[in-house]
Amino acid sequence: AANLADQARRRARHEDRGERSQLLGLEEARRRRPRFDWAADPPEAPKRPGVHRFDRQELAELEARIDWTPFFQAWEMPGRYPDLLADPRSGPQATVLHRDALGLLERIRREGLLRARGVVGIFPAAADGDDLVVYADESRRAERARLPMMRQQRRGRSGETNLCLADFVAPAGGGVPDWIGMFALTAGHGAAELAAGFEAAHDDYSAILAKALADRLAEAFAERLHELLRRELWGYETGPALDNAALVAEGYRGIRPAPGYPACPDHGPKRAIFELLDAEAATGTRLTETLAIDPAASVCGLYLAHPKACYFGVGRLGADQLEDYAARAGTTPDELSRRIGLSAEPGAAQTEASSTP
């Protein structure tokens, strides 16, 4: 009965979407991009552009930056940390899990069982339509890389904008210089071996715990590198340092979208990020044939510093954008559909991009 009632609510909500469920044509969506006065509020030049490697990241520094809420969600324990520890239903189990995690984390740190390595780069850049262009140097005459981005096509309400990550970088030819940041990092060196050791001892609980902790350390590392970029390398953030709660709440300027996430569903830009950062040599990671990063507990992405930059989901795509993006990415619509998890019927006018990280 509960399932039938839920299905009825979903049908009603779907039918009530009306025109907002329809997609705009790509050119109309592009006309509805946000408009910024770049000359009146030009981007800050980075203090230390170029590529910076972080080969010996201390795990103790990352531990203090762990966001524990996703850790508990991975164990299907809903709620926010630390409040869920006091929950009358899941609190006792969550408390034991947290205690075990801290114990294993202390062992990992003491014995050096996991290693974290990262690299950050800041490059001269501009937006050319829905593409992010990275230049070879500050003269901005030669392109070094071009990263295609996708744009929202939802109709939305009157006055709403249709976002693309390229909107948050100053346009080429506008006379306003801008930059883009990139990063690649891992906390996964040693994680597979640690988990395998537990599995060989028939301790699946500790094996899963080790993998979950490696994931959390990687996210904490991403938070740490982003802070270094904002405050030192690019240097556009000043004032008191944010505490961990503010960092978890993303109470800072700028975003770090990663390929494969809702604002950039295509994993293809990882290739350019790895090449520009020489990430394989810098971090000891590699891209697989399916563009996953090996080892696990690794991530790469972009840094966008514009004050209005925000996270969003591209959502459903029209066939016009699928073809346009495929051409810009140097692939075919069919291959692109497989790469970003589209499930369109042949000839369908619209489909939806997967938001799976």
Side-chain angles (χ1 to χ4, degrees), residues 246-260:
L247 291 173
V248 169
E250 299 169 355
Y252 45 73
R253 170 181 152 187
I255 58 175
R256 57 170 190 273

Side-chain angles (χ1 to χ4, degrees), residues 118-136:
V119 59
V120 170
I122 308 174
F123 307 98
D128 182 12
D130 290 350
D131 288 347
L132 290 171
V133 178
V134 180
Y135 294 109

Side-chain angles (χ1 to χ4, degrees), residues 242-285:
L242 301 177
D243 61 22
N244 198 48
L247 291 173
V248 169
E250 299 169 355
Y252 45 73
R253 170 181 152 187
I255 58 175
R256 57 170 190 273
Y261 279 67
C264 180
D266 181 22
H267 291 260
K270 287 179 179 178
R271 295 192 183 100
I273 293 172
F274 261 64
E275 181 179 350
L276 289 163
L277 296 174
D278 195 12
E280 188 168 329
T283 66
T285 62

Side-chain angles (χ1 to χ4, degrees), residues 60-279:
E61 185 180 21
L62 302 183
E63 183 177 341
R65 298 169 183 273
I66 288 178
D67 178 7
W68 286 101
T69 297
F71 171 83
F72 288 104
Q73 290 172 346
W75 293 83
E76 298 184 359
M77 292 185 179
R80 285 196 163 274
Y81 174 85
D83 297 340
L84 66 87
L85 298 181
D87 185 273
R89 292 174 298 177
S90 60
Q93 287 181 316
T95 300
V96 171
L97 178 61
H98 190 225
R99 181 198 64 201
D100 293 346
L102 291 176
L104 180 55
L105 198 56
E106 195 277 333
R107 181 190 165 194
I108 288 171
R109 186 176 63 251
R110 184 181 67 251
E111 300 180 15
L113 300 176
L114 297 181
R115 298 178 304 282
R117 298 172 62 187
V119 59
V120 170
I122 308 174
F123 307 98
D128 182 12
D130 290 350
D131 288 347
L132 290 171
V133 178
V134 180
Y135 294 109
D137 53 45
E138 292 289 351
S139 71
R140 300 168 188 270
R141 286 192 290 266
E143 289 186 17
R144 190 175 171 192
R146 181 175 284 257
L147 288 73
M149 295 290 131
M150 294 180 179
R151 182 174 296 280
Q152 293 174 325
Q153 288 186 267
R154 59 179 176 78
R155 183 170 297 277
R157 298 180 178 86
S158 176
E160 285 187 352
T161 55
N162 291 74
L163 298 175
C164 172
L165 290 176
D167 295 334
F168 302 118
V169 178
V176 177
D178 204 349
W179 294 262
I180 190 172
M182 300 181 183
F183 70 95
L185 62 89
T186 183
H189 290 304
E193 294 81 359
L194 179 59
F198 285 127
E199 290 166 354
H202 307 290
D203 186 356
D204 291 340
Y205 171 68
S206 294
I208 297 171
L209 198 62
K211 295 174 184 177
L213 285 174
D215 287 340
R216 289 297 90 214
L217 287 169
E219 288 299 323
F221 195 10
E223 198 70 79
R224 174 57 179 152
L225 290 185
H226 197 182
E227 182 181 47
L228 283 171
L229 174 108
R230 298 192 309 270
R231 301 185 70 83
E232 298 180 23
L233 303 180
W234 202 321
Y236 59 80
E237 183 178 282
T238 58
L242 301 177
D243 61 22
N244 198 48
L247 291 173
V248 169
E250 299 169 355
Y252 45 73
R253 170 181 152 187
I255 58 175
R256 57 170 190 273
Y261 279 67
C264 180
D266 181 22
H267 291 260
K270 287 179 179 178
R271 295 192 183 100
I273 293 172
F274 261 64
E275 181 179 350
L276 289 163
L277 296 174
D278 195 12

